[in-house]
Amino acid sequence: MNTLALRRRGPRQRLRDAARLWRLGRRDPRLGWLLLDNLITTLGASFTLIALPFLVMRLTGHALDLGLTATLEALPSLAFLFALRGFLDRADPARVLWCCRALYVAINAALAATTWFGLITIELIYLLALIGGLVWAVAYPAGRACFGLYIRKGLLPAGNAVFAVASSLATMALPMLAGSLILSADGERGLAIAFAIDAVCVALSLPLIAAVRRRGPVRRRVADVRDDDAAEVADHVAAAPASAIPRSYYLYLLSSTVLVFGPVQILLPVLLVQRHDTRYLWIYLAQFAGIFAAAGLSAPGVPPTMAAVLRRIVLCWAVAAFAYGLLAWSAYAAAQSWWPLSSALLAFGLLAGASNYYGIQSLSWLQRSADARRMGREMTWFSAATMGAMPLATLATGAMIDRLHWAQTAQTLAWSILGVALLALLHLPSLHQNKAPGTRVPGAA
């Protein structure tokens, strides 16, 4: 399906495609199991997302300790890339994901127990954050590889779109519930209950992952093929060696994380603190609207070539540059009291929409195009270029805000993104307009 065909799709054709995907999803429950797994674990993570900062600030009162905790959780993914980047190509991603989830249960249970009995210390939080970061560094690419190997290619864009909407809805609503629980409880008991809820939710996801694994992968790798097919597979591999996704693809993803969409993780909370106005909480609703729109635009599919996907990524950069410019301009020239709020709602809605459209398109194309034998390796690179690089974005943005203040930081980001987009436009014509890399092996779907 090429890009022109995607543009010609009308409402009726999209409805027929949605009905076909629904029928495929009913015949193959693996997508539903993975979606339910995502909802359950997102529910639990929302409680820890609120409880952990409360716990750290109650123990020490220093924001630096909170930043160090977040860094310990994120940095191990970079070490995993260089130390064990081929590990997921040899292992079963579903089994690896199940083991990581079991370790998460133990980590959250330890947090809950030590908090409940008053034994928690900041040093123990550092240790558990580091262990959790190491587990996450394996679990995140394993989950993405599992999705790419166990779900049919036709369901990948729609599945990733549903993932994005469900995660954003949970991220918007559930922290309010978690915050109410924590604030209404006495002492540390509410925090301990929040960690326990996370542990229970992750434990409930274990049977779902086991059920997916029992069904087996849709796309078969060499290690997954029966012995009687071994000779045929060996001939296939010898004739068509596994191809890798060009590293320039991950450079675009790294630029998106560090320069384009990662800074929002710092800019938004700083804005909320500076404005000290409850009306600005409507930004989360604006972000959900942007994510919902992005999911609808992404669900029909992705183009087959890397160049076409990268052009869409650069278009998302342009939208982000406009949003940052709007934020900076409204901070400099706010003539009316309503204008800063209106511009913030529009800007952060555009940033959320562009971020999720870019995320769904880039991940869906990678899952469809990566060779099944290299799926784990490619998902490890994806993890490092996106979530693993997030500390670089947050640290750099925080330093710019301290030095340049909020408005100048938004303006600097807007001009920097436009500069990188110009370099990308000079690079894109050099890419070959061919099909996505990746060879097919017997049993591939």
Side-chain angles (χ1 to χ4, degrees):
M1 183 185 303
N2 54 32
T3 306
L4 182 59
L6 288 174
R7 292 175 180 172
R8 290 177 179 174
R9 286 179 176 272
R12 292 182 179 178
Q13 182 62 37
R14 291 189 177 185
L15 287 176
R16 286 195 291 269
D17 289 342
R20 181 178 64 85
L21 292 175
W22 174 255
R23 291 193 297 270
L24 286 173
R26 291 185 63 185
R27 290 198 300 266
D28 187 353
R30 281 171 289 198
L31 177 60
W33 290 337
L34 289 175
L35 287 175
L36 182 57
D37 164 75
N38 179 71
L39 287 175
I40 292 174
T41 53
T42 301
L43 169 64
S46 297
F47 282 85
T48 297
L49 182 67
I50 299 298
L52 189 59
F54 269 86
L55 180 60
V56 172
M57 295 302 293
R58 287 182 182 181
L59 286 175
T60 68
H62 297 299
L64 179 61
D65 292 319
L66 185 59
L68 182 56
T69 302
T71 301
L72 289 173
E73 290 178 326
L75 286 180
S77 61
L78 295 177
F80 179 70
L81 169 65
F82 295 105
L84 298 170
R85 56 186 176 184
F87 167 71
L88 290 177
D89 290 332
R90 299 185 297 270
D92 178 7
R95 183 176 183 180
V96 172
L97 182 61
W98 191 96
C99 294
C100 290
R101 293 284 173 77
L103 289 173
Y104 270 129
V105 173
I107 294 171
N108 290 325
L111 271 174
T114 54
T115 303
W116 181 274
F117 293 106
L119 302 175
I120 192 69
T121 63
I122 190 62
E123 291 79 14
L124 181 58
I125 290 178
Y126 288 158
L127 177 61
L128 293 176
L130 179 59
I131 297 174
L134 292 171
V135 175
W136 177 86
V138 181
Y140 184 80
R144 296 300 178 268
C146 184
F147 200 68
L149 290 176
Y150 283 78
I151 301 301
R152 298 182 184 278
K153 286 187 176 183
L155 294 172
L156 286 174
N160 284 319
V162 174
F163 263 56
V165 172
S167 298
S168 64
L169 181 61
T171 303
M172 179 185 67
L174 293 177
M176 299 176 64
L177 175 62
S180 300
L181 170 66
I182 293 168
L183 293 175
S184 62
D186 293 332
E188 314 299 335
R189 297 295 177 88
L191 300 176
I193 293 173
F195 294 134
I197 291 175
D198 194 0
V200 171
C201 289
V202 178
L204 291 176
S205 73
L206 295 178
L208 297 171
I209 301 298
V212 170
R213 184 167 178 259
R214 283 196 298 269
R215 284 283 239 180
V218 175
R219 299 170 66 182
R220 306 277 292 279
R221 300 181 296 182
V222 174
D224 301 323
V225 180
R226 297 188 307 270
D227 292 337
D228 53 357
D229 294 330
E232 181 183 355
V233 172
D235 294 339
H236 224 65
V237 173
S243 59
I245 303 295
R247 293 296 170 249
S248 59
Y249 185 76
Y250 297 107
L251 181 59
Y252 279 80
L253 302 187
L254 181 65
S255 301
S256 300
T257 301
V258 175
L259 187 62
V260 186
F261 302 117
V264 178
Q265 306 299 320
I266 296 296
L267 284 175
L268 178 55
V270 171
L271 177 67
L272 294 176
V273 171
Q274 289 182 350
R275 294 290 187 266
H276 200 68
D277 188 341
T278 56
R279 295 179 302 168
Y280 279 83
L281 293 175
W282 285 94
I283 288 176
Y284 291 104
L285 183 59
Q287 287 182 320
F288 176 74
I291 293 169
F292 188 82
L297 293 173
S298 297
V302 295
T305 63
M306 188 178 82
V309 174
L310 293 181
R311 282 196 294 269
R312 295 188 178 191
I313 291 178
V314 174
L315 178 61
C316 293
W317 292 359
V319 174
F322 171 76
Y324 285 128
L326 180 62
L327 290 172
W329 179 58
S330 65
Y332 282 127
Q336 303 291 335
S337 59
W338 55 267
W339 177 243
L341 175 60
S342 301
S343 60
L345 293 176
L346 176 59
F348 282 105
L350 289 174
L351 284 169
S355 174
N356 280 267
Y357 184 80
Y358 138 77
I360 295 169
Q361 290 283 307
S362 61
L363 179 57
S364 298
W365 180 85
L366 184 60
Q367 288 171 332
R368 293 185 62 177
S369 303
D371 190 292
R373 293 163 289 172
R374 295 180 57 92
M375 184 67 70
R377 187 182 301 260
E378 302 300 346
M379 290 303 109
T380 303
W381 276 98
F382 178 85
S383 173
T386 53
M387 303 304 293
M390 191 62 71
L392 299 177
T394 55
L395 290 175
T397 304
M400 282 196 297
I401 292 176
D402 288 340
R403 186 176 182 85
L404 302 176
H405 303 295
W406 195 92
Q408 293 91 331
T409 298
Q411 182 181 13
T412 302
L413 288 171
W415 285 112
S416 300
I417 293 169
L418 290 177
V420 174
L422 179 60
L423 294 176
L425 292 177
L426 297 176
H427 170 258
L428 286 176
S430 66
L431 297 176
H432 297 294
Q433 303 296 320
N434 58 352
K435 290 286 184 178
T439 56
R440 295 172 62 92
V441 297

